[in-house]
Amino acid sequence: MVLETAVSGCILSNGVRLSEQRTICSMASEELARKLQSRLTTSQEAEPRPEPQQSPVRPKPQEADAACGDSSSELSAKLTRRQDINEGNAAPRLTRVFNPYTEFKEFSRKQIKDMETMFKQYDTGKDGFIDLMELKLMMEKLGAPQTHLGLKNMIREVDEDFDGKLSFREFLLIFRRAAAGELQEESGLMALARLSEINVSTEGVMGAKDFFEAKMQALSVGSKFEAEILEEKEERKRQEVEKKQRQAAFKQLQSAFCS
């Protein structure tokens, strides 16, 4: 009995010691871990940290596109319009109403009316445009026939709306560019402007024989435009007076027969 008690006491004593040893080892491990962690943190703080490289600022897509957006959109619209015309899918555009007398001030009213008469003469379709075939007929009658490609080039030079034909405004642009020296000497448009001087300059400003000389004289006379308008008003008044005189004479003759 005494032996069993001694053995059990010894076993209990050994168990307590083992537990104490484990506790001491655990505390020592934790202390060592804390010291290592502290030393690692200190060494990391002491080392200089490389500064992060800043990536170059790239322009936003909207800012990059804004530089060429206006010009590219206009060109794209023209190309799309041209493609629709070629494929026959283009919607008809409304004809822009303009006043030739105010927009083309370098020409006299008489010259513009002569140009309009010439335009209507060759507008055989009566649609307000001169197409390729009508332009071909015009150049043949003027004595300067053009090839099919030459006629297309003539229209292309002044065709602002890309419809493949000439409006009256575009027809006037031919004479404006010819007078300004913007047309090539041997181009079809220059031939048209020169040959049509017969219809324009015969009763030009101050009876000038040359079309471009008449243009320069028109520019030098600042009140010519107003004087022509006043002259037209006086002419209408004179016609009204003559009409009333004829009516009065007819009434007198009628009363003489009735009496």
Side-chain angles (χ1 to χ4, degrees):
M1 185 71 179
V2 176
L3 181 59
E4 290 180 356
T5 302
V7 171
S8 60
C10 183
I11 292 172
L12 181 61
S13 175
N14 291 335
V16 172
R17 290 178 182 176
L18 288 174
S19 176
E20 291 178 354
Q21 289 178 357
R22 290 176 180 175
T23 302
I24 294 172
C25 289
S26 176
M27 295 175 60
S29 299
E30 292 177 359
E31 182 68 19
L32 180 60
R34 283 197 299 270
K35 289 183 179 181
L36 292 175
Q37 182 65 30
S38 176
R39 182 176 298 179
L40 179 60
T41 303
T42 304
S43 62
Q44 290 179 349
E45 292 178 354
E47 293 180 357
R49 295 183 179 179
E51 297 182 358
Q53 295 181 355
Q54 296 182 354
S55 59
V57 179
R58 297 182 179 179
K60 296 181 179 179
Q62 294 83 355
E63 297 176 355
D65 295 339
C68 59
D70 296 337
S71 58
S72 62
S73 60
E74 182 179 358
L75 178 60
S76 177
K78 290 183 177 180
L79 292 176
T80 303
R81 172 69 178 173
R82 170 60 68 182
Q83 183 178 0
D84 291 341
I85 292 174
N86 294 337
E87 296 176 355
N89 300 326
R93 289 185 175 181
L94 297 177
T95 304
R96 184 176 63 175
V97 179
F98 78 104
N99 189 337
Y101 303 107
T102 57
E103 185 172 348
F104 293 85
K105 295 182 179 180
E106 62 267 36
F107 303 125
S108 67
R109 290 176 63 87
K110 177 62 177 176
Q111 290 171 333
I112 292 179
K113 286 182 178 180
D114 289 340
M115 294 177 191
E116 185 177 9
T117 300
M118 181 181 180
F119 181 85
K120 291 181 178 180
Q121 177 184 353
Y122 293 101
D123 178 20
T124 56
K126 306 302 179 185
D127 58 351
F129 297 93
I130 293 180
D131 59 20
L132 187 69
M133 297 307 297
E134 292 168 341
L135 180 61
K136 179 178 182 294
L137 178 63
M138 177 191 295
M139 298 305 295
E140 289 176 353
K141 288 189 175 182
L142 291 175
Q146 302 288 317
T147 63
H148 186 77
L149 181 60
L151 293 170
K152 282 189 172 182
N153 290 334
M154 289 176 63
I155 294 177
R156 189 180 296 112
E157 285 191 56
V158 291
D159 188 12
E160 293 186 334
D161 54 3
F162 299 101
D163 59 356
K165 51 189 177 181
L166 297 177
S167 64
F168 180 53
R169 182 181 181 279
E170 293 167 343
F171 185 72
L172 294 177
L173 286 177
I174 298 174
F175 298 93
R176 168 179 284 178
R177 295 184 180 182
E182 297 177 356
L183 299 177
Q184 295 181 1
E185 199 67 24
E186 299 180 356
S187 66
L189 292 183
M190 179 60 78
L192 188 156
R194 283 180 174 175
L195 294 173
S196 62
E197 290 179 26
I198 300 174
N199 298 328
V200 177
S201 63
T202 51
E203 298 182 9
V205 183
M206 298 181 181
K209 295 181 180 180
D210 184 78
F211 176 79
F212 300 109
E213 181 182 350
K215 172 184 175 297
M216 296 303 298
Q217 293 183 12
L219 292 175
S220 63
V221 182
S223 61
K224 183 65 180 178
F225 184 77
E226 290 80 3
E228 289 178 349
I229 296 178
L230 182 61
E231 184 179 353
E232 290 181 358
K233 290 182 179 179
E234 293 295 333
E235 179 65 20
R236 286 195 294 268
K237 288 181 181 179
R238 184 181 63 82
Q239 293 176 358
E240 289 292 333
V241 172
E242 292 179 354
K243 181 179 179 181
K244 290 180 180 179
Q245 290 176 352
R246 289 194 299 269
Q247 291 176 349
F250 178 77
K251 288 181 180 179
Q252 290 178 0
L253 182 62
Q254 185 178 18
S255 61
F257 278 108
C258 292
S259 58

